[in-house]
Amino acid sequence: MKQSRFWAWLVFGIGAAYFLIPLIATFEFSLRMRRGYYSFDSYASVFSDPKFQQTFTYSAVIGLLSIIVGILVVVPAVYFVRLRMAWLRPYVEFLTLLPLIIPAIILVYGYIRLYNSSSIIPFTGSAVGTDILLTFAYVTLALPYMYRAVDTGMRTIDVQTLTEAAQIAGASTPQIIGRIILPNILVAVLSGAFLTFAIVIGEFTIASLLNRPAFGPYLQNIGANRAYEPAALAIISFIITWGAMSMINLLSRFAPRTSARTD
Amino acid sequence: MAEFLRVDNLVKSFGTTTVVKGVNFTFNKGEFVSLLGPSGCGKTTILRMIAGFENPTSGSITVDGQDITHLKPNQRQLGMVFQAYALFPNLNVGDNIAFGLKIAGMPAEQRRARVEEMLKLIGLPGFEKRYPYEMSGGQQQRVALARAIAPRPRMLLLDEPLSALDAKIRVSLREEIRAIQLDLGITTIFVTHDQEEALSISDRVVVMNAGNIDQLGAPHEIYNKPATRFVATFVGHLNTIEATVASAANHQVNIDGQTVTLPSLPSGAKDNAPISLTLRPEVLSVGERAGSDIALTGTVSDVTFLGSVIRVRVALGKNIISLDTFNDQRTAPPARGDAITVSLASKDLLIL
């Protein structure tokens, strides 16, 4: 018993060291901006840079828009597939996995070819159009995560019976999705939303090739030209991502509970 | 009574399988009718077609003179209670009951009053802030009933609402459902596979078998005068005695070497031909009894003590029949292997 616990701790220790040592080293390096002693100067430098605020705000806004569009596309799609077209499920699952298989660089070149300023839908012809295109690209990138989160959420409720109960009470399909289905899978949707946000905040390829002032290209630019700030930015990015993941955990406690009692 | 629900030549097929085969019936306003039958007989499919969850392959459904065959479920003004309760987990009891009212656009004050009225009706006043997961199955199903009747639907549909509950709650809740139905006078269709449930609370029972209606009638008619062998065996316990016709002219049959005279025999009966006789356990008595014109002797093969009732199994040659007798504390029940005389009235024998 004791021996098995020792090996378990050893494996855990190696795993933790694998993840934590680079993080600690990066954090330690980010504090060395001033010679001779540790300081948070690199963080002060990052936060005082107006470009940091601009790019972060831009990515946060695009992230929120991507979440909204993602929810509007994915929730009804999963709902109808589960309710009326169960046979379509394997195909939809395959389709949602494609963004994991197709590299972002290919996706963005495809977009540029299809939606350039001389095409029928010239998204890249204006800044707003490019922002819309970027949002759609991020919805696609986050699709595997959003789809799985929503699908898992719907698996925990009896979609068909709840739909029928609401229908017979007079509700229309939008009312059923808005008032019954969505609130009951809200935690799952939010976990998909946080994953989307985490992806959008750090994404470089698409934002860079569409030439948008996003946080990812800013990170890359700082990394190429400064010494200590990139380390500080890496830690900040990690905290943002970690915070988003923690929110998923926290929110799962507020999921509506179902009962199987028969007494 | 006025005709309220009319179902004409209702057919439902899934692929090549036809699960409802041209069903016709009419229910009166305020009636409580049960659709009774084994799994797969089509009873739930009929209910779901009435609710609008399934489209009939052919046929029509009319409620209160309005053809609802092709209306969407949310346009039919019906209430439904499901086997799995189907309360909305994100809403508390009050909001669950008020759901249909809110959809219909009833003002908040009226909604509150109606919810309070419904909670009183189902015996759960003060429960409006509770969530479904905080309640027992019986309480949840009461709330589901209140939610279904709160918007004053034209008709109430109950899809095996008691199946998920334990035995004791099942009995008390079915009595409550019946009391509420009588109180409101709402036309109700109750789907069940439990014959005791159907017989105990219904005005009429529809017995279904393989997509067809075998019999539609009052519970006592279904039980006492089953139209088919299926109805007789599905509703209540039925003894079957394999006999031979001793004399078709004199209506005599031979049971295990004992000759019995019946009031009548089927017109095609021939001497020495086999014939199946059926009878309910409760029409048999132990020993000779006034009013009984048939006495048969056999051997006790098994005795089951059920409390107030004792079920005795009697071997009449190859035939084993069951009879129910009340427990008498002053006399011991028959023992296995005892010789026994059982008596019955010939009019209680059914030839199906």
Side-chain angles (χ1 to χ4, degrees):
Chain A
M1 185 77 183
K2 254 189 172 177
Q3 199 174 352
S4 68
R5 192 169 281 187
F6 167 78
W7 287 109
W9 275 110
L10 186 73
V11 170
F12 174 76
I14 292 169
Y18 182 81
F19 287 106
L20 289 176
I21 289 171
L23 202 64
I24 292 165
T26 308
F27 180 60
E28 198 266 350
F29 183 71
S30 74
L31 302 176
R32 284 192 186 198
M33 196 170 181
R34 210 171 280 204
R35 266 168 209 263
Y37 57 94
Y38 290 137
S39 73
F40 284 98
D41 282 6
S42 58
Y43 292 88
S45 166
V46 165
F47 286 125
S48 61
D49 183 355
K51 278 211 159 178
F52 168 82
Q53 290 155 21
Q54 282 163 13
T55 56
F56 186 80
T57 308
Y58 177 84
S59 283
V61 170
I62 294 290
L64 285 175
L65 290 173
S66 305
I67 288 166
I68 293 166
V69 176
I71 290 171
L72 289 175
V73 171
V74 174
V75 173
V78 177
Y79 173 71
F80 285 116
V81 166
R82 287 197 83 86
L83 193 67
R84 291 182 199 161
M85 294 173 283
W87 56 271
L88 206 64
R89 231 174 132 215
Y91 303 103
V92 174
E93 282 204 7
F94 174 75
L95 205 71
T96 60
L97 281 175
L98 285 179
L100 290 181
I101 302 160
I102 299 168
I105 189 90
I106 296 192
L107 194 71
V108 73
Y109 273 119
Y111 281 157
I112 291 168
R113 274 193 73 87
L114 271 174
Y115 304 116
N116 61 51
S117 51
S118 54
S119 72
I120 304 167
I121 315 166
F123 272 128
T124 59
S126 67
V128 175
T130 316
D131 290 344
I132 292 170
L133 190 60
L134 187 64
T135 304
F136 288 159
Y138 286 156
V139 170
T140 309
L141 269 195
L143 197 60
Y145 309 100
M146 186 59 105
Y147 176 82
R148 252 144 213 87
V150 172
D151 193 48
T152 307
M154 288 220 194
R155 209 175 296 162
T156 62
I157 58 170
D158 185 347
V159 173
Q160 187 177 345
T161 314
L162 290 180
T163 298
E164 289 176 355
Q167 265 182 331
I168 203 82
S172 63
T173 302
Q175 283 171 325
I176 295 167
I177 294 177
R179 294 189 189 184
I180 303 300
I181 302 299
L182 196 56
N184 279 302
I185 58 160
L186 196 59
V187 172
V189 170
L190 285 174
S191 73
F194 285 119
L195 285 167
T196 306
F197 191 79
I199 290 166
V200 172
I201 283 295
E203 205 284 326
F204 166 76
T205 315
I206 299 173
S208 173
L209 285 164
L210 288 179
N211 196 26
R212 299 313 298 146
F215 194 54
Y218 170 74
L219 285 178
Q220 193 276 337
N221 187 38
I222 293 287
N225 299 305
R226 305 274 183 89
Y228 299 99
E229 282 87 342
L233 275 170
I235 295 296
I236 292 165
S237 297
F238 173 77
I239 290 169
I240 292 165
T241 311
W242 184 81
M245 299 299 153
S246 306
M247 287 302 284
I248 298 171
N249 249 327
L250 194 74
L251 283 165
S252 63
R253 293 181 197 174
F254 301 104
R257 282 185 268 175
T258 51
S259 170
R261 284 167 66 176
T262 57
D263 55 333
Chain B
M1 266 202 263
E3 175 186 301
F4 191 72
L5 170 72
R6 180 177 195 90
V7 164
D8 285 313
N9 295 316
L10 201 63
V11 175
K12 179 66 188 175
S13 301
F14 293 102
T16 53
T17 314
T18 303
V19 291
V20 177
K21 301 168 183 168
V23 162
N24 294 285
F25 55 72
T26 55
F27 296 163
N28 298 325
K29 196 166 176 64
E31 240 188 336
F32 191 114
V33 185
S34 291
L35 299 184
L36 174 69
S39 295
C41 70
K43 58 188 188 300
T44 299
T45 309
I46 291 178
L47 193 81
R48 290 177 62 78
M49 285 193 280
I50 294 170
F53 301 139
E54 303 284 354
N55 291 319
T57 305
S58 63
S60 68
I61 302 164
T62 311
V63 172
D64 205 11
Q66 183 196 10
D67 186 347
I68 62 161
T69 316
H70 303 292
L71 285 186
K72 287 180 180 173
N74 58 354
Q75 297 168 332
R76 296 191 179 203
Q77 295 169 282
L78 306 176
M80 186 157 172
V81 178
F82 299 83
Q83 184 180 341
Y85 322 139
L87 291 181
F88 307 128
N90 58 313
L91 302 180
N92 62 28
V93 167
D95 290 340
N96 260 288
I97 296 174
F99 183 80
L101 308 173
K102 206 171 174 180
I103 295 287
M106 185 186 267
E109 201 50 50
Q110 287 178 33
R111 275 205 313 262
R112 250 195 304 279
R114 183 70 176 153
V115 168
E116 233 169 81
E117 188 189 338
M118 287 294 105
L119 284 170
K120 250 185 231 162
L121 187 72
I122 57 166
L124 294 173
F127 272 61
E128 48 268 71
K129 295 289 171 209
R130 295 239 193 141
Y131 278 86
Y133 70 87
E134 295 174 309
M135 305 173 82
S136 70
Q139 288 171 331
Q140 287 188 57
Q141 202 56 302
R142 280 191 186 89
V143 175
L145 180 67
R147 181 183 63 183
I149 56 184
R152 296 189 172 87
R154 296 193 287 185
M155 202 162 62
L156 181 63
L157 311 176
L158 307 170
D159 184 12
E160 306 208 28
L162 308 172
S163 300
L165 302 170
D166 70 29
K168 216 170 173 183
I169 300 291
R170 228 167 28 222
V171 173
S172 65
L173 191 54
R174 82 181 182 212
E175 284 162 4
E176 274 181 53
I177 288 173
R178 176 59 160 160
I180 289 170
Q181 185 269 335
L182 285 172
D183 189 27
L184 301 176
I186 185 169
T187 311
T188 303
I189 306 178
F190 179 75
V191 163
T192 181
H193 59 263
D194 185 327
Q195 42 107 2
E196 190 192 315
E197 256 171 36
L199 296 179
S200 62
I201 58 172
S202 312
D203 291 315
R204 288 195 296 160
V205 177
V206 178
V207 185
M208 295 205 55
N209 179 25
N212 294 303
I213 292 178
D214 265 25
Q215 192 171 2
L216 197 168
H220 66 91
E221 290 169 352
I222 299 280
Y223 189 84
N224 295 332
K225 292 175 186 157
T228 64
R229 193 181 184 85
F230 171 80
V231 175
T233 50
F234 189 76
V235 180
H237 187 84
L238 192 76
N239 290 306
T240 304
I241 300 173
E242 299 302 338
T244 48
V245 177
S247 165
N250 298 324
H251 304 159
Q252 285 178 330
V253 295
N254 189 305
I255 304 169
D256 183 32
Q258 304 171 68
T259 303
V260 168
T261 306
L262 302 179
S264 64
L265 282 176
S267 52
K270 288 182 181 146
D271 287 357
N272 300 319
I275 186 166
S276 291
L277 309 172
T278 58
L279 65 159
R280 299 283 187 199
E282 63 273 17
V283 305
L284 289 158
S285 309
V286 176
E288 304 270 353
R289 180 161 292 189
S292 299
D293 53 354
I294 296 174
L296 297 164
T297 52
T299 312
V300 175
S301 68
D302 196 18
V303 178
T304 311
F305 186 72
L306 302 168
S308 61
V309 171
I310 298 169
R311 177 156 287 183
V312 184
R313 287 166 70 78
V314 178
L316 299 169
K318 279 186 284 181
N319 295 300
I320 305 279
I321 58 169
S322 295
L323 70 92
D324 291 342
T325 179
F326 281 115
N327 176 29
D328 182 350
Q329 293 181 13
R330 287 159 300 181
T331 51
R336 203 176 296 165
D338 284 356
I340 191 169
T341 300
V342 294
S343 56
L344 70 148
S346 56
K347 65 178 172 53
D348 291 328
L349 273 169
L350 305 166
I351 303 167
L352 296 169

